[in-house]
Amino acid sequence: MQKIKSLMARQGLKSPQESVVDMSPVESFRTPSKEELRELREQPTDPQVEQEIIDSIEEVYFSSDSFDTVQYELEKLPPDLNLLELEEYRDKLKRQQAAVSKRVADLILEKQPSYVKVSSLSHLGKLGLHKCFNSAFRQLRSAKEGFTEASLGLLANQRRRQLLTGLLKSLRTIKTLQRTDVRLSEMLEEEDYPGAIQLCLECQKAASTFKHYNCISELNSKLQDTLEQIEEQLDVALSKTCKHFDVSHYTKVQLAYKLLGKTQTAMDQLHMHFTQAIHNTVFQVVLGYVELCAGNADTKFQKMPYKDLCTHITTDSYIPCLTDLCKALWEVMLSYHLTMQWHDEHYKEEETTPGADDSSAEGSDESTVGRSYVKKKLEHGLTRIWQEVQLKVKAYLLGTDVSNFKYDDFIVVLDVISRLMQVGEEFCGSKSELLQESIKRQSVNYFKNYHRTRLEELRMFLENETWELCPVKSNFSIAQLHEFRFMGQCRSPSVSPSRQPESTEPVELCLFEQYLQGGNPFEMQIDNKEEETEDVLASNGYESDELEKSVYQDYDSDSDVPEELKQDYVDEQTGDGPVKSVSRETLRSRKRSDYNAPILTNTTLNVIRLVGKYMQMMNILKPIAFDVIHCVSQLFDYYLYAVYTFFGRNDMYESSGLGLISSRLRTTLSRIQESLIDMEAGGENAGPHASPEERKEKVPRPHLSQLVILTSSDTLYGLAERVVATESLVFLAEQFEFLQPHLDTTMPSAKKPFLQQFYSQTVSTASELRKPIYWIVAAKAIDYEQMLLLMVGVKWDIKEIMSQHNVYVDVLLKEFEKFNQRLGDVSKIVRIPLPVSNVLWEHCIRLANRTLVEGYANVKKCSNEGRALMQLDFQQFLMKLEKLTDLRPIPDKEFVETYIKVYYLTENDMEQFIKNHREYSMKQLTNLVNVCLGSHINKKARQKLLAAIDDIDRPKR
């Protein structure tokens, strides 16, 4: 009370007693100013709060009446003034002054009647009783009229008004707070989560001012429940972003979590939702197909684990379900990718745009920690999410046996998984080990069955092949086949490379950038099945071009001959005489030489297509590249072995002495027979019996179709069939050479020696089969035995030099002319390439020359003139032979000339010759020594030379 009295004194107010004595009751109270009324309205209404404010007044203010408060406050000011701090301190002093003023007013209103009564009684003794009572009554009347009824009533009403005004304001605020639930519901329906949270927080802050009301405690509880409800709805909204990411929606959700201060919690929830989204997505997709194929309303599938559910997928629905599965998983991964992209862009904007709270170092540090946490959480989530995707797809892949799928269907499966692995690599840089392991397991099982079936089909094709020409266009290339379209090397055959437009291929975008605005990388599987029609076969069996269509047919019209060639005379504008018109035979020859279509059979074309299919598997699934290439090599091995078995195997090779089969080819054929051919199945038990497992990996030896006749001289011993078969193999080898770079890039480094060995020891030997296959034609097409018989009748021990060659030369040349004519007949059926023609002529000439040497070796007696006749006969043969063939040099020419000239060698030279020339047989060398006996070699020298010949033959025994 003393503090209040002292404060009243400083404010110019007197004590109640002094007011009654010195002035009238009305004068003792002045009407409050507007500022004082405003301060009274703003003063706190809570008595406890009011008392706390009064207690906060410093003790020095109540020390004495002479205390200078202004000087005291000025001395307290710091050297550096801060306007904000000064305003806060001023407001504090105002609150203290208002609290004291209110307390003083309350005391005056409470104590004033007693002051008046006491003061009146004190005057009774001084003025006399009568005057005292009159004065007292006048003062009481005046106090009643002027102060008690007017002033105090006015103050009471003013106080009541202030209280009611504050109460009305509080009631309105409370009413507004209680009605916020309607607006909150509207905001939640509009998905304005940040606004709803902001409103709740503001309501909680406002409610703290009115916490002394009982209704406010209920409101706080209601607001807390609303916040929890918003968090639940916010969590649901966060889960929706896992499948269909929307920037505006996600921005609202993140801002809402930021207002709640739960950004890190949101990240934890987000990864949980993504994991759950993957599980729910794959389960619903597979369940839909399982129930659709089950055809009933049985709900037992809904309670099955996902792994067991995958085993109920049917073969027909396997690919559509896999495609839809990958599409759905793509949507989840794309949403995660967009989520990371959103955070990267958002943080970049925060770094470049200064925030309002940059002055707060503590807030900045907390923000940096939050960003770091979110970034690491998102980066770690990439691997976790992709791992979940792999596990789900792996369970689906291994849930069905795909070994009996059609090839095209299995390629689609490989393509889908390959595309999914590409998504994984772009998503998080993963090599998708789980997917690779599972698809490799399925591929190996499928490929073993597929390859075994294809080898059996190849054997069936080969055994039913009649080795007729498959007519294809002259510009045929394997890149035109559908099976090789994946290589991307096919050019339009009608446009030359120089005329093709320059390819300006754009930089290939990653899948997430390519399908960012819409679409799905797995929708392309549907389009892959729509293949374009191939155009590789010639029309009506032959090329439709007018200059090439009649190569193998008789020419009944000359409609395709240029007009200038039809004329008898052609004006060359040179001043020369007229030129004779070109004959039809010349035109036919030109057309035949221009027709360079590949020689291949239907079987060859099927093998090429099969190789393309194998390479598609290898290209899509790199881990099985070695297994695929190994099977591809088996296809080529079996084809090569079949061609050799059908057309090249002959027991006469060894006795021919021509070295038709090289050691490399012989080794290759032996390897193929040992590793691939099941000799027991063909009734040929060679070596120890193989185990059932080994035989399962082998193929029976093929047999030539009975429709193919190779023993008829009319067909030149099946020359047309031999040409088609052999040149088909050579063409196949050329295609393998073309494919080698592609095979080399897909082959694992550790297995590349196998590929190199396959090409160097197998593919390159295909052309070497020409020698043994065409040798039998050359051996039987010309009657070499007749020539030997004619040479026996020739007398070689003549005494004079002859100017006329012997008859056997003419007979031999006629045989060659007949052979040349028959080659022309065969060329009307099938084109004979120049290498084939050269091999045939080489064989014939070699056999003829060796027959000549054999005939000369049968001579019993021979003179120098006889040797000169031999040279004359041989030169005549060579001169006429060079007109029949363009083969140069003539094969084995030196073989004959050297044998004739050996006759003139001395003893020592002949001995050296015997040691150096082992291409001659023992009989030929022995006969040479015996014929020379008596002319320039004696018996002793003869024995020495025969001993030398015997030494050469001994190692062969």
Side-chain angles (χ1 to χ4, degrees):
M1 181 61 67
Q2 291 297 327
K3 292 181 180 180
I4 296 175
K5 290 180 180 180
S6 176
L7 186 60
M8 290 174 62
R10 290 185 188 87
Q11 292 179 350
L13 299 176
K14 296 182 179 181
S15 63
Q17 294 82 352
E18 293 174 347
S19 298
V20 174
V21 176
D22 298 338
M23 63 184 68
S24 66
V26 176
E27 292 176 345
S28 63
F29 284 91
R30 57 184 176 86
T31 303
S33 64
K34 294 182 179 180
E35 181 67 21
E36 290 174 342
L37 292 175
R38 183 181 64 80
E39 291 179 355
L40 288 173
R41 285 196 301 270
E42 292 178 354
Q43 65 184 347
T45 58
D46 189 353
Q48 183 179 356
V49 175
E50 182 180 301
Q51 185 62 39
E52 291 177 356
I53 294 175
I54 292 175
D55 293 340
S56 65
I57 299 175
E58 297 183 36
E59 191 71 26
V60 69
Y61 281 97
F62 307 99
S63 59
S64 65
D65 295 341
S66 62
F67 177 70
D68 190 351
T69 58
V70 176
Q71 184 65 28
Y72 175 73
E73 293 297 338
L74 290 177
E75 290 176 354
K76 286 175 61 177
L77 294 177
D80 297 330
L81 299 179
N82 188 311
L83 181 60
L84 182 61
E85 293 178 356
L86 286 177
E87 289 179 350
E88 291 179 354
Y89 189 67
R90 183 197 64 184
D91 294 339
K92 176 182 177 182
L93 292 177
K94 283 184 176 183
R95 287 193 297 272
Q96 292 176 351
Q97 181 182 8
V100 171
S101 299
K102 182 177 181 298
R103 181 62 63 87
V104 170
D106 291 341
L107 288 174
I108 291 175
L109 292 175
E110 180 182 353
K111 301 296 182 179
Q112 186 64 32
S114 62
Y115 293 161
V116 173
K117 181 178 180 182
V118 174
S119 298
S120 298
L121 292 176
S122 64
H123 285 276
L124 293 178
K126 294 180 180 180
L127 299 178
L129 183 62
H130 178 70
K131 292 182 179 180
C132 181
F133 278 106
N134 292 334
S135 177
F137 286 127
R138 284 195 301 268
Q139 290 182 6
L140 287 173
R141 191 183 306 112
S142 176
K144 179 180 180 182
E145 295 175 358
F147 183 82
T148 306
E149 294 180 356
S151 300
L152 295 181
L154 180 63
L155 289 175
N157 291 335
Q158 180 66 24
R159 180 169 179 263
R160 189 180 299 109
R161 180 183 176 185
Q162 291 177 355
L163 292 173
L164 292 175
T165 302
L167 180 61
L168 180 62
K169 183 179 179 181
S170 299
L171 291 175
R172 286 176 178 174
T173 304
I174 293 172
K175 182 179 180 181
T176 303
L177 292 176
Q178 289 180 336
R179 289 181 177 179
T180 54
D181 56 344
V182 178
R183 180 55 185 157
L184 285 173
S185 300
E186 294 176 355
M187 287 182 171
L188 291 178
E189 289 180 1
E190 297 170 0
E191 295 185 348
D192 185 9
Y193 304 108
I197 294 174
Q198 186 70 35
L199 182 59
C200 278
L201 295 178
E202 290 178 357
C203 289
Q204 284 184 333
K205 184 177 181 182
S208 64
T209 308
F210 307 98
K211 61 183 179 180
H212 53 281
Y213 294 105
N214 294 332
C215 61
I216 292 301
S217 60
E218 298 178 0
L219 179 62
N220 280 329
S221 177
K222 187 176 181 180
L223 288 174
Q224 189 63 34
D225 294 340
T226 303
L227 273 179
E228 294 177 359
Q229 181 184 358
I230 293 176
E231 284 192 44
E232 293 177 0
Q233 294 191 21
L234 198 59
D235 190 59
V236 174
L238 184 64
S239 66
K240 292 180 180 179
T241 64
C242 298
K243 290 186 178 180
H244 304 287
F245 184 85
D246 182 77
V247 175
S248 60
H249 178 78
Y250 189 75
T251 303
K252 291 180 181 179
V253 172
Q254 284 298 320
L255 181 58
Y257 274 111
K258 186 176 182 180
L259 291 173
L260 292 174
K262 295 183 178 182
T263 304
Q264 297 183 8
T265 304
M267 283 295 103
D268 297 336
Q269 290 294 108
L270 182 66
H271 285 83
M272 182 191 71
H273 287 314
F274 268 104
T275 304
Q276 190 65 29
I278 292 173
H279 175 76
N280 294 339
T281 297
V282 297
F283 187 85
Q284 291 300 325
V285 170
V286 177
L287 178 63
Y289 276 92
V290 170
E291 291 182 341
L292 180 65
C293 297
N296 53 42
D298 193 355
T299 59
K300 65 178 182 179
F301 297 116
Q302 297 181 356
K303 300 180 181 179
M304 280 189 178
Y306 171 75
K307 188 175 182 180
D308 297 337
L309 191 65
C310 292
T311 60
H312 290 79
I313 290 291
T314 62
T315 303
D316 295 336
S317 61
Y318 186 84
I319 292 178
C321 182
L322 176 63
T323 305
D324 288 345
L325 197 66
C326 293
K327 286 181 181 180
L329 290 172
W330 161 261
E331 295 294 338
V332 176
M333 288 184 286
L334 179 61
S335 295
Y336 195 88
H337 175 80
L338 293 174
T339 302
M340 292 192 66
Q341 193 176 49
W342 184 91
H343 281 278
D344 290 340
E345 295 175 356
H346 184 67
Y347 291 154
K348 287 179 182 178
E349 291 178 1
E350 288 186 351
E351 291 175 358
T352 55
T353 305
D357 58 347
D358 287 348
S359 60
S360 174
E362 183 178 354
S364 178
D365 292 341
E366 291 180 0
S367 178
T368 303
V369 172
R371 294 176 191 175
S372 177
Y373 179 85
V374 171
K375 183 178 181 181
K376 290 181 179 179
K377 192 74 175 179
L378 289 172
E379 290 176 352
H380 293 164
L382 286 171
T383 306
R384 289 179 52 193
I385 289 175
W386 178 241
Q387 194 75 359
E388 285 292 327
V389 171
Q390 287 192 87
L391 289 172
K392 301 302 181 184
V393 178
K394 177 184 177 181
Y396 182 84
L397 286 175
L398 301 180
T400 304
D401 183 13
V402 299
S403 59
N404 295 320
F405 272 31
K406 294 180 180 179
Y407 171 80
D408 292 336
D409 293 339
F410 188 72
I411 284 296
V412 172
V413 174
L414 290 182
D415 199 18
V416 171
I417 299 303
S418 176
R419 180 56 60 96
L420 185 60
M421 288 192 288
Q422 182 183 352
V423 170
E425 186 172 359
E426 294 181 4
F427 185 69
C428 61
S430 172
K431 296 302 180 183
S432 307
E433 289 81 4
L434 290 177
L435 284 179
Q436 287 194 27
E437 185 272 334
S438 57
I439 195 62
K440 181 178 180 180
R441 190 192 310 177
Q442 289 283 44
S443 298
V444 170
N445 293 335
Y446 176 83
F447 199 69
K448 285 182 178 180
N449 294 334
Y450 183 80
H451 179 60
R452 189 179 301 111
T453 305
R454 299 292 82 77
L455 280 177
E456 289 293 337
E457 288 182 359
L458 178 58
R459 181 173 72 92
M460 181 186 68
F461 271 108
L462 291 170
E463 291 185 344
N464 291 277
E465 179 65 67
T466 56
W467 303 104
E468 295 180 355
L469 190 66
C470 176
V472 293
K473 291 188 174 182
S474 58
N475 57 7
F476 170 75
S477 170
I478 62 172
Q480 299 169 8
L481 299 176
H482 291 306
E483 288 77 7
F484 292 91
R485 292 289 172 87
F486 72 94
M487 296 176 61
Q489 298 177 353
C490 180
R491 290 182 174 180
S492 175
S494 59
V495 181
S496 62
S498 60
R499 293 185 179 181
Q500 288 189 349
E502 295 183 0
S503 60
T504 56
E505 297 182 359
V507 179
E508 185 177 358
L509 298 175
C510 72
L511 295 176
F512 288 97
E513 294 177 354
Q514 187 176 353
Y515 297 96
L516 188 63
Q517 302 301 328
N520 198 295
F522 298 97
E523 291 176 353
M524 60 175 293
Q525 304 304 323
I526 302 175
D527 301 332
N528 281 347
K529 295 185 178 180
E530 299 179 1
E531 297 181 345
E532 299 177 359
T533 304
E534 285 182 343
D535 186 20
V536 297
L537 297 180
S539 301
N540 299 324
Y542 296 98
E543 185 68 62
S544 59
D545 192 323
E546 291 296 328
L547 293 178
E548 299 174 339
K549 67 180 181 179
S550 304
V551 174
Y552 302 129
Q553 302 173 351
D554 291 333
Y555 299 93
D556 297 329
S557 67
D558 57 355
S559 60
D560 57 344
V561 180
E563 290 297 328
E564 63 271 14
L565 296 181
K566 294 181 182 179
Q567 301 174 2
D568 290 336
Y569 298 93
V570 179
D571 185 8
E572 298 286 348
Q573 297 181 355
T574 60
D576 296 336
V579 181
K580 190 175 181 180
S581 62
V582 181
S583 65
R584 291 196 177 200
E585 190 64 32
T586 304
L587 291 176
R588 186 180 304 174
S589 176
R590 288 181 181 178
K591 290 179 182 181
R592 186 179 299 116
S593 63
D594 290 340
Y595 188 72
N596 295 318
I599 297 177
L600 69 158
T601 64
N602 286 322
T603 303
T604 311
L605 195 58
N606 287 329
V607 171
I608 293 174
R609 290 183 184 276
L610 193 57
V611 171
K613 291 180 179 180
Y614 280 24
M615 290 183 64
Q616 284 184 33
M617 294 187 189
M618 177 181 61
N619 187 64
I620 296 174
L621 195 61
K622 300 293 191 300
I624 65 169
F626 172 72
D627 302 289
V628 175
I629 293 179
H630 178 70
C631 294
V632 168
S633 68
Q634 287 187 342
L635 293 175
F636 187 85
D637 287 347
Y638 195 73
Y639 196 100
L640 182 144
Y641 185 84
V643 172
Y644 168 75
T645 303
F646 294 165
F647 302 101
R649 208 171 208 179
N650 200 298
D651 295 334
M652 299 173 62
Y653 292 152
E654 300 299 332
S655 61
S656 66
L658 296 176
L660 300 175
I661 301 181
S662 64
S663 58
R664 183 177 62 169
L665 178 58
R666 191 183 304 277
T667 302
T668 298
L669 293 171
S670 300
R671 177 188 59 79
I672 295 173
Q673 179 170 301
E674 181 180 353
S675 61
L676 187 60
I677 307 302
D678 185 6
M679 302 301 291
E680 298 179 20
E684 302 179 21
N685 299 324
H689 293 282
S691 63
E693 290 76 13
E694 293 176 348
R695 291 190 60 186
K696 191 176 181 180
E697 303 296 330
K698 296 183 177 182
V699 189
R701 174 183 172 183
H703 298 281
L704 182 64
S705 172
Q706 296 180 356
L707 299 177
V708 181
I709 307 300
L710 303 178
T711 57
S712 174
S713 60
D714 297 337
T715 60
L716 209 53
Y717 305 96
L719 178 60
E721 289 82 358
R722 294 175 187 271
V723 169
V724 171
T726 309
E727 299 313 304
S728 293
L729 177 63
V730 173
F731 177 78
L732 184 60
E734 292 173 353
Q735 306 316 304
F736 269 83
E737 294 286 353
F738 170 73
L739 297 173
Q740 183 178 6
H742 187 82
L743 296 175
D744 188 69
T745 56
T746 53
M747 177 68 92
S749 300
K751 300 294 184 178
K752 285 189 176 181
F754 168 81
L755 185 63
Q756 296 171 358
Q757 184 179 12
F758 168 66
Y759 271 91
S760 62
Q761 297 185 5
T762 305
V763 177
S764 61
T765 61
S767 59
E768 296 181 11
L769 281 181
R770 285 171 173 162
K771 286 188 175 182
I773 289 176
Y774 297 133
W775 182 87
I776 191 65
V777 176
K780 293 184 176 182
I782 295 177
D783 192 355
Y784 304 102
E785 294 296 331
Q786 180 186 6
M787 186 176 64
L788 281 177
L789 293 176
L790 292 175
M791 293 179 69
V792 172
V794 177
K795 187 176 181 182
W796 301 103
D797 55 346
I798 56 177
K799 300 299 183 181
E800 58 183 19
I801 297 178
M802 305 295 293
S803 60
Q804 182 65 32
H805 60 273
N806 287 300
V807 178
Y808 72 88
V809 176
D810 296 329
V811 174
L812 181 59
L813 289 171
K814 286 183 179 181
E815 287 288 325
F816 275 99
E817 291 176 357
K818 183 179 179 181
F819 173 73
N820 189 33
Q821 183 180 1
R822 296 172 72 181
L823 282 180
D825 295 337
V826 173
S827 65
K828 296 178 182 180
I829 303 173
V830 60
R831 176 174 61 89
I832 299 180
L834 182 61
V836 176
S837 177
N838 289 340
V839 169
L840 286 169
W841 279 101
E842 180 182 357
H843 281 334
C844 290
I845 295 173
R846 286 185 182 275
L847 288 172
N849 286 337
R850 290 177 180 272
T851 302
L852 289 175
V853 172
E854 188 67 22
Y856 297 151
N858 292 332
V859 176
K860 302 299 181 184
K861 294 181 180 181
C862 182
S863 60
N864 290 337
E865 292 77 8
R867 290 291 172 180
L869 181 58
M870 292 179 183
Q871 292 181 348
L872 176 63
D873 291 344
F874 186 63
Q875 292 301 320
Q876 182 68 18
F877 170 69
L878 293 177
M879 183 179 63
K880 296 292 183 69
L881 183 63
E882 289 176 351
K883 296 179 180 180
L884 295 175
T885 178
D886 295 330
L887 188 63
R888 299 291 185 275
I890 299 298
D892 282 351
K893 175 182 176 182
E894 294 79 7
F895 183 79
V896 181
E897 290 178 342
T898 301
Y899 188 80
I900 296 175
K901 294 176 181 179
V902 173
Y903 178 81
Y904 301 104
L905 295 180
T906 62
E907 174 186 344
N908 293 334
D909 293 337
M910 185 173 290
E911 182 178 1
Q912 189 64 33
F913 174 84
I914 291 172
K915 293 180 181 180
N916 296 336
H917 292 77
R918 300 190 179 186
E919 65 270 19
Y920 298 101
S921 65
M922 297 291 297
K923 173 189 172 184
Q924 293 168 353
L925 294 175
T926 302
N927 180 267
L928 187 63
V929 173
N930 291 331
V931 171
C932 293
L933 181 63
S935 60
H936 56 280
I937 294 179
N938 54 32
K939 291 184 178 180
K940 184 178 180 181
R942 173 179 175 272
Q943 295 297 329
K944 183 178 179 181
L945 293 174
L946 291 176
I949 295 172
D950 188 64
D951 291 340
I952 295 174
D953 184 58
R954 189 174 291 114
K956 300 179 182 180
R957 298 173 186 174

